[in-house]
Amino acid sequence: MALVAGIDSSTQACKVVVRDAGSGELVREGRAPHPDGTEVDPAAWDDALRQALTEAGGLDDVAAVAVGGQQHGMVCLDEDGEVVRPALLWNDTRSARAATDLIEELGGGAAGRQAWADAVGLVPVASFTVTKLRWLAEHEPASAGRTAAVCLPHDWLTWRLAGAPALDRLVTDRGDASGTGYWSPDQEAYRPDLLERAFGRTPVLPRVLGPAEEAGRVAGGGAVLGPGTGDNAAAALGINAEPGDVVLSIGTSGVVSTVSTTPSADPSGTVAGFADATGNFLPLVVTLNAARVLDATARLLGVDHDELSRLALTAPAGSGGLVLVPYLEGERTPDRPDSTGALHGLTLATSDPAHLARAAVEGLLCGLADGLEAIAAQGNPVRRVLLVGGGARSEAVRRLAPAVLGVPVLVPPPGEYVADGAARQAAWVLAGGDTPPVWPATTTQTYEADPVPFVRERYAEVRELTAARKTY
């Protein structure tokens, strides 16, 4: 029985699963936390990976391993391979002005957004690596000057597992490269002109491997290394998503994505035209605020998540007109990096825990519903909607989702789908061939409810009402 390992280095933790390469059966697993913050010393990821691997029984009997990692994070290395500064993560919004400037430099307004969408399938926002590099060049020129190579979190961890060889041995895959803002999914190539525009020059970039191309071996002649990929592409692979499947993931961020056979280029910037880990494409909408909205509301009410769910289900649809616009960390979709959360419609009748709990769940789901609508508007067929992530463990989220989204949803059992996708990629590298190995499909539970369009209509009214509100 050949074993493969999949690693999920997410914002909050590192998870490792070891599975049977042929059947996909889980053999063992491990986990270790990451520090909080929107910038992190990559050494913390390396430490967490070692801890999680130890808890998962190590790699000595593992034939292949691959890493799925949080996208967009800017990891800068000097000529000796040392980290120049803490990595800026996807949810760090300090480069919002840089994003605006980069759009202006390609024509500004609709023309600038169209130019970026045509070039790399996305329009710059603070999340993307290209904007973080512009911020670095402008605000920390000494660090920018020391930077000899730029990579992403999963690239760096793969390189570390290989023993941190020369910088020209850095590798990535098309799924993660497509979230940088300087790699074109349509052309399958870097755009050094855009990187130079943002950073002033072109540092060493990871070589983009094919979906099942070997990336080397774990240092010391150990397991074969897969190319790895970004977390969203890994999750799609882990859940066996196929063209027409829409995956709604409620984790630290909210993600609506679909597997597509054609690239996307949305000049509005709502849909990012990413690539996936198999050779297809992954049009995707991301919100900064997702499961942490539930965490914050539970903390505010002084209850646990089960009680929050119970409270939400006792309040009426629409929460009596109470709306929570949950922009607790700014927001990426819509692009409002400096926004804050807003509670509107508070009356004597809605001033209780149940109405607030319901408003929080509905506000979270309304953001995902907007993403689903945007994905469909790009011409992507919606065959199935799969609800995953930590937030999908909430009974209120599962039961209210079809009513807010307007479609039935399928909920697989809770799992580490990013790590599972990385493990499936590792099995693919081991086996070879043009398609990933077929592992048994995940059993799902279907949730259905009558649509309640007035919930989204009321949310949209309040969202726009608060759009121009100043922050101090």
Side-chain angles (χ1 to χ4, degrees):
M1 177 176 72
L3 298 180
V4 293
I7 296 164
D8 170 17
S9 183
S10 72
T11 312
Q12 295 178 308
C14 181
K15 286 87 73 175
V16 175
V17 299
V18 176
R19 292 187 173 272
D20 178 270
S23 69
E25 180 182 356
L26 180 65
V27 177
R28 55 185 192 260
E29 58 189 324
R31 179 187 180 98
H34 284 160
D36 289 332
T38 63
E39 67 172 34
V40 173
D41 185 342
W45 300 333
D46 192 53
D47 291 343
L49 173 57
R50 306 297 167 177
Q51 293 175 38
L53 283 172
T54 298
E55 186 175 304
L59 297 176
D60 288 348
D61 58 347
V62 169
V65 59
V67 181
Q70 55 180 299
Q71 289 191 266
H72 316 312
M74 179 190 70
V75 182
C76 297
L77 305 177
D78 67 15
E79 292 182 353
D80 298 321
E82 297 297 322
V83 174
V84 171
R85 72 166 327 276
L88 296 186
L89 307 190
W90 61 274
N91 55 353
D92 191 296
T93 60
R94 73 186 74 178
S95 60
R97 175 59 186 270
T100 301
D101 290 345
L102 288 169
I103 294 168
E104 288 298 316
E105 290 169 16
L106 288 195
R113 292 191 295 272
Q114 185 71 63
W116 277 98
D118 290 342
V120 289
L122 53 81
V123 177
V125 293
S127 298
F128 300 143
T129 317
V130 68
T131 70
K132 299 179 188 305
L133 287 170
R134 166 60 69 87
W135 179 91
L136 186 70
E138 291 181 340
H139 294 269
E140 296 183 2
S143 294
R146 284 183 56 207
T147 298
V150 176
C151 59
L152 302 168
H154 114 256
D155 311 339
W156 185 79
L157 284 169
T158 301
W159 183 71
R160 291 284 297 176
L161 283 169
L167 294 179
D168 62 6
R169 297 284 298 280
L170 284 163
V171 297
T172 191
D173 90 305
R174 59 196 299 278
D176 219 1
S178 66
T180 60
Y182 44 82
W183 188 84
S184 167
D186 187 25
Q187 300 299 317
E188 298 271 348
Y190 280 117
R191 288 292 303 264
D193 57 319
L194 297 178
L195 178 58
E196 186 168 348
R197 172 178 291 279
F199 194 55
R201 57 189 176 84
T202 305
V204 173
L205 298 174
R207 183 166 63 92
V208 181
L209 301 181
E213 187 174 349
E214 186 176 318
R217 287 186 173 268
V218 173
V224 171
L225 283 166
T229 191
D231 51 3
N232 296 304
L237 190 58
I239 205 170
N240 294 311
E242 299 176 351
D245 287 348
V246 176
V247 180
L248 274 65
S249 176
I250 306 177
T252 305
S253 61
V255 179
V256 184
S257 63
T258 187
V259 178
S260 174
T261 57
T262 57
S264 294
D266 176 13
S268 77
T270 301
V271 179
F274 292 167
D276 80 345
T278 71
N280 285 316
F281 301 91
L282 198 71
L284 178 148
V285 176
V286 176
T287 65
L288 286 183
N289 299 277
R292 286 182 175 177
V293 175
L294 304 178
D295 295 341
T297 308
R299 186 169 62 249
L300 183 65
L301 295 176
V303 300
D304 62 17
H305 280 272
D306 287 342
E307 178 63 7
L308 180 73
S309 182
R310 189 196 69 77
L311 286 167
L313 292 171
T314 64
S319 197
L322 186 66
V323 173
L324 175 65
V325 179
Y327 298 165
L328 308 185
E329 297 186 278
E331 190 45 80
R332 165 172 162 173
T333 307
D335 185 19
R336 298 177 186 172
D338 298 321
S339 63
T340 58
L343 187 65
H344 189 82
L346 196 62
T347 66
L348 288 175
T350 60
S351 301
D352 60 52
H355 282 85
L356 179 56
R358 179 90 179 206
V361 174
E362 290 181 339
L364 166 60
L365 289 170
C366 281
L368 294 174
D370 289 345
L372 178 62
E373 187 173 75
I375 289 283
Q378 289 289 302
N380 298 295
V382 178
R383 185 173 72 96
R384 299 188 304 169
V385 175
L386 300 158
L387 187 65
V388 300
R393 298 173 189 262
S394 163
E395 182 67 15
V397 168
R398 295 194 297 264
R399 288 176 54 184
L400 299 185
V404 176
L405 299 172
V407 294
V409 299
L410 304 179
V411 182
E416 300 295 350
Y417 291 109
V418 174
D420 290 345
R424 191 175 177 215
Q425 184 195 71
W428 188 6
V429 173
L430 205 60
D434 296 329
T435 57
V438 177
W439 286 354
T442 303
T443 302
T444 60
Q445 184 174 0
T446 301
Y447 286 79
E448 298 182 87
D450 292 333
V452 284
F454 73 86
V455 171
R456 288 190 61 201
E457 292 167 3
R458 169 68 174 151
Y459 177 84
E461 290 175 4
V462 177
R463 180 192 61 209
E464 298 313 308
L465 184 66
T466 62
R469 188 169 58 85
K470 294 181 179 180
T471 57
Y472 298 94

